[in-house]
Amino acid sequence: MNTIYYLVQNMLPVSIPLLLVALGGMFTERSGVINIGLEGTMLTGAFAGALFAYTIQGSGLSPNMILLICMIVAAVAGAIFAQLLSFAAVTMKANQVIVGTAMNMMMPALILLISKMFFNSDGITTNVRYFIREVPVLSGIPVIGDLFFKNTYLTVLIGFLILIISTLVLYKTKFGLRLRACGEHPHAADSVGINVSKMRYIGVTISGILGGLGGYFYSVGITDGNINGHNGVAGFGFLALAVMIFGQWQPIKIMFAALFFAFLRTLAYSIPLIPFLANLNIPTDYYKMMPYVATIIVLALTSKNSRAPKAEGIPFDKAQR
Amino acid sequence: MQDKNGMNSKTNEKKKFSEIKGFSSFTSALMAIVIGLLFGFIVMLLANPNNAVAGFRYVLLGGLGRFGDVLYFATPILMTGLSVAFAFKMGLFNIGASGQYTMGMFFALYVAFMFNLPPSIHWIVAILAGMIGGMLWGFIPGIFKSLLNVNEVITSIMTNYIGMYLVDMLIRSNEAMYIPSMTRTKYIPQHVQIRSLGIAGSNVNFGVIFAILIAIVLYIILQKTTFGYELKATGYNKYAAEYAGMNGKRNIILTMVIAGALSGLGGAFAILAPSEIIGSSMTYEPINVIAVNGFNGIAVALLGNSHPIGTIFSALFISYIQRGGTLASLVGYKPEIIDLVISVIIYFSAFAAIMSSALGRFITRRNKKEKIVSNTQSVGNIEADINNKEAEK
């Protein structure tokens, strides 16, 4: 039982960045723009958040207060960075995959450059301890308290809140309906007076916000509030894309997909702690490969009835019929 | 849309149009490069205004004195660039060049250490093994794409990570090639290394000549063979190509396998390169990092407009400014500035093509209008004009 508690407690902080970034990817793709640049967006958020945390860490604020403030900084930074994509993809009608690739190349270089120039290191190291050992009162609940309210981070709670909000926005608001229309059939949307370019700008901006948040939550939950330009976010932006496809562009399914990947990854890093698996003596590298192998297998199984937004990746051209 | 215009207008105008198209892909690359370099200069100014001019001069001209090194570092990125460019022609985005490159390195290393072959052919077998390693890793996204319709971008990103972890694991567990205390592979025997070109002060070797020859062969395949034609046709319009009886599924697999082979060769050329210091060689460090050269290949391909010959020049250019960037550290700048410049170049090259094709369209239209004024109006011109107006809308 302790092993299960341990796995769940460790899995949740890992799943949150994947969940948020995949939701961000979902919003852009639902509006009709492919965002390969999520990795870069995550790095932007992680870097901006960590940088701000670094500057205010001495001011006596509690770690969770710092988290809330830096969260906003990260979201704003991500949103600004995402405008690189929206400008190129919507206004200039450029190839979205190329732009995304450029964004992914830009951020690690920028982070390394800034940190080497101003911090003499490869990244930013903060000493804020975001870790929450026990949530008062709630951790007393049997089973559930152990699973969700011990050895955790505030990010988990915020992540699930954003999931609920995203689901409501996408399915229960006029905006969500319009956004989805722009990804499925922009010309139909255009014909009833929806401003497709504007919706796509908003879609990309949301992905910037969520991508930035996800990146910062990655640094909080996985690398102890630090970030460096060499390892970056370890391909989580790309994994999030796979999570999004596995989740069939639907928020709740994306959550399950994110949990699945987080579980595999946590398992890979906690083999020595699980007697049964440790006794098998399989090199841990096999387990590290597992999330990626699983992605390919899962995509192979689900791609036949893929529900990708029909107009994704195609620049909107009013004159086209 | 442009092609429609070209087809409808008269033959002499068609010729003019194609001229402008070639011109525009060159100018768009140039435009992107200028913007990227300017951006780099601005960053340098912001970082340290006093040395900015000196640093920028190193970036621009520093590569000149180290031409051997430029060629040497261009070799692997030329190969991965060709790999990405070749897949691009088919409409596939081979982001998995890194994984294929790493596999190529491993296969070449394996042959170099584990096989006992006559010295005269050992290095050739090692290079070919690298190619096979890359092919294998290109085959996976290819087959998943063609049979199961899985997006090749995602599968090739996954194969990057799988390849990296797999190779690191295999190398670490192999005592014949790995030195645990130094976390790197042993030096490769002299006779397996590719012959040096003998330029003093650099490791440049025959690999670069092979790479350029391969680029030319690719150009011929794309321009002169049925396979190349089918490939480009599928890239332009998948459905039309299938309707014309081309086997799209087979071509997807074949393209990815060839792309993989190119990256794998890049890995082999990189790891089998000789070293200036006698008795040493290139080594592989299994430290769970994805090969950078694969991603640089994407930049090379995009800048070269996915054209094999263009790729040669863009690989040389990127290697050139990278050398310059290394030299800029003499006046206190970090070499990462070049990665930043390259990413800005790629960003702008994504829509510089659109900007300059709009420019090209503008010029053609003006030419046509002049003709209409001077000649009596021919039917073809009117048609072209109408098409242009439609395109404008």
Side-chain angles (χ1 to χ4, degrees):
Chain A
M1 202 61 199
N2 277 332
T3 316
I4 292 174
Y5 286 148
Y6 173 83
L7 279 178
V8 172
Q9 285 163 2
N10 278 283
M11 172 181 97
L12 289 174
V14 177
S15 72
I16 292 303
L18 281 177
L19 170 68
L20 290 183
V21 180
L23 283 175
M26 177 196 77
F27 273 107
T28 33
E29 300 224 344
R30 278 293 177 105
S31 78
V33 179
I34 292 180
N35 192 353
I36 296 274
L38 281 171
E39 178 93 359
T41 317
M42 279 184 82
L43 269 172
T44 315
F47 185 67
L51 189 64
F52 204 74
Y54 179 83
T55 51
I56 62 170
Q57 64 187 3
S59 62
L61 289 165
S62 76
N64 286 323
M65 202 57 215
I66 292 179
L67 186 135
L68 289 174
I69 296 169
C70 293
M71 193 180 109
I72 294 164
V73 174
V76 171
I80 294 170
F81 185 69
Q83 298 316 313
L84 281 179
L85 174 67
S86 54
F87 171 70
V90 183
T91 308
M92 300 304 290
K93 299 188 172 55
N95 185 327
Q96 298 164 2
V97 177
I98 297 179
V99 174
T101 310
M103 288 162 71
N104 288 340
M105 292 168 71
M106 203 174 286
M107 265 338 272
L110 200 62
I111 290 180
L112 284 173
L113 198 65
I114 295 176
S115 343
K116 279 186 180 177
M117 278 196 315
F118 299 109
F119 297 93
N120 257 331
S121 75
D122 291 343
I124 289 179
T125 314
T126 64
N127 53 22
V128 188
R129 292 285 154 261
Y130 301 108
F131 189 70
I132 299 170
R133 186 156 300 285
E134 271 185 13
V135 179
V137 185
L138 288 171
S139 62
I141 308 168
V143 185
I144 290 177
D146 281 326
L147 284 175
F148 299 110
F149 299 109
K150 275 185 187 165
N151 301 332
T152 187
Y153 294 90
L154 189 62
T155 57
V156 176
L157 185 69
I158 298 168
F160 281 105
L161 229 108
I162 290 175
L163 170 72
I164 296 166
I165 296 170
S166 304
T167 316
L168 291 178
V169 166
L170 194 67
Y171 290 116
K172 299 290 175 198
T173 63
K174 205 155 54 174
F175 165 75
L177 184 68
R178 289 179 174 177
L179 189 86
R180 283 183 284 148
C182 290
E184 288 296 329
H185 201 312
H187 291 94
D190 185 57
S191 73
V192 292
I194 297 170
N195 186 341
V196 176
S197 298
K198 192 176 132 196
M199 293 313 274
R200 289 191 169 179
Y201 260 96
I202 296 174
V204 175
T205 308
I206 294 177
S207 89
I209 292 171
L210 294 180
L213 275 182
Y216 178 57
F217 285 2
Y218 175 91
S219 91
V220 168
I222 299 171
T223 53
D224 267 340
N226 309 325
I227 189 76
N228 86 53
H230 284 301
N231 300 330
V233 290
F236 263 50
F238 293 124
L239 261 180
L241 279 177
V243 164
M244 177 194 69
I245 295 174
F246 182 25
Q248 295 285 310
W249 292 267
Q250 291 163 26
I252 301 300
K253 285 189 185 170
I254 286 177
M255 179 196 77
F256 285 115
L259 288 173
F260 173 71
F261 282 105
F263 177 73
L264 286 182
R265 189 183 181 280
T266 312
L267 199 65
Y269 283 85
S270 37
I271 296 300
L273 300 168
I274 303 164
F276 167 69
L277 290 171
N279 288 339
L280 290 177
N281 266 331
I282 301 168
T284 47
D285 294 85
Y286 278 113
Y287 294 101
K288 284 184 186 168
M289 274 184 262
M290 223 157 56
Y292 307 102
V293 176
T295 312
I296 293 188
I297 293 170
V298 157
L299 289 181
L301 296 177
T302 53
S303 63
K304 278 280 177 198
N305 45 6
S306 163
R307 291 204 191 151
K310 282 201 183 61
E312 67 168 9
I314 308 162
F316 174 63
D317 186 353
K318 257 190 179 182
Q320 221 168 39
R321 279 173 293 255
Chain B
M1 216 177 297
Q2 290 169 12
D3 290 320
K4 210 164 67 185
N5 291 341
M7 268 189 281
N8 281 337
S9 52
K10 283 178 166 178
T11 36
N12 60 341
E13 261 161 349
K14 215 185 223 170
K15 198 177 150 201
K16 201 171 265 168
F17 176 72
S18 68
E19 272 170 22
I20 284 163
K21 199 178 170 192
F23 166 77
S24 83
S25 74
F26 178 69
T27 45
S28 66
L30 214 61
M31 202 145 70
I33 288 172
V34 170
I35 295 174
L37 287 174
L38 268 180
F39 183 83
F41 183 58
I42 292 169
V43 171
M44 283 177 148
L45 269 179
L46 290 176
N48 185 353
N50 296 328
N51 291 341
V53 174
F56 198 60
R57 189 179 296 139
Y58 273 126
V59 171
L60 284 187
L61 306 171
L64 283 178
R66 304 193 164 195
F67 197 64
D69 267 354
V70 170
L71 289 176
Y72 169 63
F73 286 102
T75 313
I77 58 175
L78 170 56
M79 292 312 296
T80 50
L82 285 174
S83 163
V84 177
F86 190 71
F88 246 130
K89 283 281 178 198
M90 172 85 181
L92 297 170
F93 185 42
N94 181 22
I95 202 170
S98 294
Q100 296 149 10
Y101 178 88
T102 313
M103 284 314 263
M105 276 188 169
F106 174 73
F107 272 59
L109 275 175
Y110 193 83
V111 168
F113 284 110
M114 311 301 282
F115 282 35
N116 223 340
L117 294 167
S120 53
I121 59 159
H122 199 164
W123 63 281
I124 302 176
V125 177
I127 290 176
L128 291 177
M131 188 175 84
I132 290 167
M135 280 165 112
L136 212 65
W137 233 233
F139 177 72
I140 298 171
I143 194 142
F144 274 92
K145 169 86 179 177
S146 72
L147 298 185
L148 297 160
N149 195 28
V150 185
N151 189 329
E152 81 281 1
V153 175
I154 302 292
T155 27
S156 40
I157 289 167
M158 297 303 134
T159 49
N160 276 347
Y161 284 97
I162 299 169
M164 181 259 290
Y165 282 121
L166 191 68
V167 167
D168 284 6
M169 180 180 76
L170 290 173
I171 284 184
R172 259 189 258 124
S173 60
N174 192 323
E175 282 164 10
M177 55 169 94
Y178 182 58
I179 312 172
S181 60
M182 310 190 80
T183 61
R184 62 162 173 79
T185 54
K186 289 177 183 164
Y187 293 133
I188 302 167
Q190 190 87 40
H191 64 270
V192 198
Q193 295 174 16
I194 302 171
R195 281 271 299 281
S196 168
L197 279 179
I199 295 179
S202 103
N203 299 335
V204 63
N205 54 66
F206 273 91
V208 68
I209 293 176
F210 296 144
I212 290 173
L213 286 178
I214 290 167
I216 294 168
V217 168
L218 270 191
Y219 174 73
I220 294 168
I221 289 177
L222 280 170
Q223 296 299 329
K224 305 286 178 203
T225 65
T226 320
F227 172 63
Y229 182 80
E230 288 195 1
L231 222 111
K232 284 189 290 180
T234 317
Y236 281 125
N237 190 333
K238 195 169 72 184
Y239 302 104
E242 211 140 284
Y243 187 70
M246 295 167 189
N247 188 342
K249 289 192 169 166
R250 191 203 64 192
N251 283 348
I252 287 175
I253 299 179
L254 215 53
T255 308
M256 284 309 289
V257 167
I258 293 174
L262 294 167
S263 293
L265 280 171
F269 290 156
I271 200 75
L272 297 174
S275 169
E276 256 210 305
I277 304 149
I278 307 288
S280 74
S281 81
M282 294 298 118
T283 53
Y284 181 86
E285 296 173 356
I287 47 171
N288 287 9
V289 170
I290 291 208
V292 171
N293 278 337
F295 287 101
N296 282 339
I298 298 172
V300 167
L302 295 177
L303 193 60
N305 204 18
S306 305
H307 189 288
I309 308 297
T311 307
I312 300 177
F313 290 107
S314 66
L316 288 174
F317 170 75
I318 287 186
S319 169
Y320 177 84
I321 62 164
Q322 275 176 340
R323 286 322 97 219
T326 328
L327 284 174
S329 58
L330 290 177
V331 285
Y333 292 102
K334 306 299 170 196
E336 276 77 21
I337 206 157
I338 296 305
D339 294 335
L340 197 64
V341 167
I342 293 171
S343 69
V344 172
I345 291 176
I346 300 311
Y347 179 75
F348 280 100
S349 71
F351 56 83
I354 288 150
M355 284 200 289
S356 64
S357 86
L359 200 77
R361 224 175 13 241
F362 178 71
I363 296 167
T364 21
R365 199 166 57 229
R366 240 187 34 188
N367 284 345
K368 270 177 208 155
K369 268 185 187 157
E370 276 166 16
K371 265 214 175 98
I372 292 166
V373 176
S374 59
N375 297 353
T376 51
Q377 292 189 348
S378 72
V379 183
N381 269 335
I382 294 170
E383 262 181 24
D385 222 36
I386 291 168
N387 274 324
N388 267 329
K389 272 183 191 147
E390 265 184 6
E392 258 180 352
K393 277 177 210 162

